[in-house]
Amino acid sequence: MITLDNGNLTVKIDEQGAQLKSIFCPETQIEYMWQADPKFWCRTSPVLFPIVGRLKDNKYTYRNEPFEMGQHGFARDSQFDVLEHKDTYAVFQLKSSRKTLSVYPFYFELKVTYELTDDNELTVNFVVSNDSESEMLYSVGAHPGFNVPLAAGDTFETTTVSVEPNQKFQQIPLVGPFNDAKHPKTLNFEQPLTLDHELFYQDALILDLENQPVQFKIQGAHSEHGINVNVANAPYTGIWSPYPTQSPFVCIEPWWGIADSVDSNQRLENKMAINKLAPEASAEHGYSISLF
């Protein structure tokens, strides 16, 4: 376990999956991150790569060759190397291997960087590099879960998620685990959304952000403390809590990719929102978490 500390917050990151495990404030004794109680959900903040969401039948083809891969890809269950570690900074690396090539036919490097600033912001940065001799196809995403409520006096149902800019967003519905982007809905964030477990009866609420900068704020009605998740350029963000389980957390998930569409032909080349990376090129994606 790797620890970052700026004197105000202590952050813990597991080399297994490069997974953010804890953001703790000693002064207030608030733990901001969900603590992976397996009764509800056994993860805290998995890194999603090289796919986001689920593939039809957990299968795809690339250049007519068949492959199988589970939900959200293999990075979340992989051991990362620690390339650098300072008091407030850590870099984790995952590279292609014989094992990854059996399910994903690209040579790659994925770096995940965590940096804790003096103003209590944790930046999370993904750098994807194509070490293949041909174009690489990939998705990447984050899945951080936050404790709800954060403080005594609040409940799940007295906690809100608000969004800047305050506007209506296109919502991509899910049919089972697959996206139905051809039949979008509207999700109104002109006012804060009060959390209710019934919101998630059809799984995650997926917002089409149109790559604009967006801030999500989680705060209880009776608390001065909360969380801002700042998303600079992700095309989508999911808001999720398990259903029908009454789970005391909510996830804000920036995605550079999305689950297969209901009418997917299972060809990776045709997958909705897939990212394309030229040989020897790199692409950077990221978000940040601000605590108050």
Side-chain angles (χ1 to χ4, degrees), residues 159-162 187-189 191-195 199-200 205 239:
T159 300
T160 61
V161 175
S162 57
L187 196 54
N188 189 353
F189 272 101
Q191 301 294 327
L193 178 71
T194 300
L195 289 179
L199 288 169
F200 306 106
L205 305 176
I239 305 172

Side-chain angles (χ1 to χ4, degrees), residues 17-232:
Q19 181 173 201
L20 174 62
K21 297 294 290 183
S22 173
I23 304 176
F24 181 72
C25 178
E27 181 181 350
T28 62
Q29 292 293 293
I30 291 177
E31 172 58 67
Y32 289 91
M33 301 303 299
W34 169 244
Q35 291 300 286
D37 182 346
K39 178 181 176 182
F40 300 101
W41 185 50
C42 65
R43 302 180 190 267
T44 298
S45 183
V47 172
L48 316 181
F49 178 86
I51 60 169
V52 170
R54 193 178 295 278
L55 301 168
K56 270 191 171 181
D57 303 318
N58 293 322
K59 296 177 181 179
Y60 71 95
T61 64
Y62 176 68
R63 294 181 174 177
N64 297 318
E65 186 176 352
F67 295 90
E68 294 191 24
M69 193 186 306
Q71 185 179 30
H72 294 319
F74 50 73
R76 62 181 184 168
D77 296 316
S78 299
Q79 186 74 17
F80 282 66
D81 295 321
V82 180
L83 295 186
E84 191 173 355
H85 179 209
K86 300 177 181 178
D87 288 345
T88 59
Y89 181 83
V91 182
F92 300 81
Q93 178 198 56
L94 179 68
K95 289 183 70 67
S96 51
S97 64
R98 182 177 299 177
K99 182 177 180 181
T100 68
L101 288 167
S102 69
V103 296
Y104 179 64
F106 302 98
Y107 292 90
F108 70 88
E109 178 190 57
L110 171 64
K111 288 183 180 178
V112 184
T113 300
Y114 294 91
E115 184 169 12
L116 183 58
T117 68
D118 291 338
D119 57 355
N120 294 338
E121 182 174 39
L122 180 68
T123 63
V124 186
N125 194 52
F126 307 110
V127 176
V128 181
S129 298
N130 181 7
D131 296 333
S132 302
E133 295 180 354
S134 59
E135 183 179 68
M136 174 176 154
L137 307 179
Y138 74 94
S139 301
V140 67
H143 201 312
F146 303 101
N147 282 324
V148 175
L150 284 175
D154 273 307
T155 65
F156 194 88
E157 290 77 11
T158 64
T159 300
T160 61
V161 175
S162 57
V163 179
E164 291 281 352
N166 307 135
Q167 66 177 59
K168 294 178 181 178
F169 289 87
Q170 182 171 286
Q171 178 190 349
I172 298 177
L174 290 170
V175 177
F178 307 116
N179 90 70
D180 191 15
K182 291 182 178 179
H183 299 94
K185 299 180 179 180
T186 299
L187 196 54
N188 189 353
F189 272 101
E190 294 174 325
Q191 301 294 327
L193 178 71
T194 300
L195 289 179
D196 186 305
H197 294 290
E198 292 297 322
L199 288 169
F200 306 106
Y201 80 100
Q202 289 185 317
D203 211 323
L205 305 176
I206 303 173
L207 277 64
D208 185 343
L209 305 184
E210 298 181 341
N211 297 95
Q212 67 177 320
V214 174
Q215 181 183 83
F216 296 83
K217 180 167 74 173
I218 304 170
Q219 188 170 16
H222 308 294
S223 175
E224 61 183 5
H225 300 289
I227 300 158
N228 289 325
V229 179
N230 307 294
V231 183

Side-chain angles (χ1 to χ4, degrees), residues 242-289:
Y243 183 88
T245 309
Q246 305 286 298
S247 304
F249 70 91
V250 68
C251 295
I252 306 292
E253 310 174 30
W255 297 340
W256 293 265
I258 198 167
D260 269 1
S261 55
V262 292
D263 58 355
S264 168
N265 64 11
Q266 297 181 281
R267 294 182 61 189
L268 194 64
E269 299 94 326
N270 301 140
K271 183 173 173 59
M272 179 177 167
I274 199 72
N275 297 283
K276 299 179 180 181
L277 195 57
E280 300 183 5
S282 296
E284 187 171 333
H285 313 273
Y287 72 105
S288 67
I289 303 169

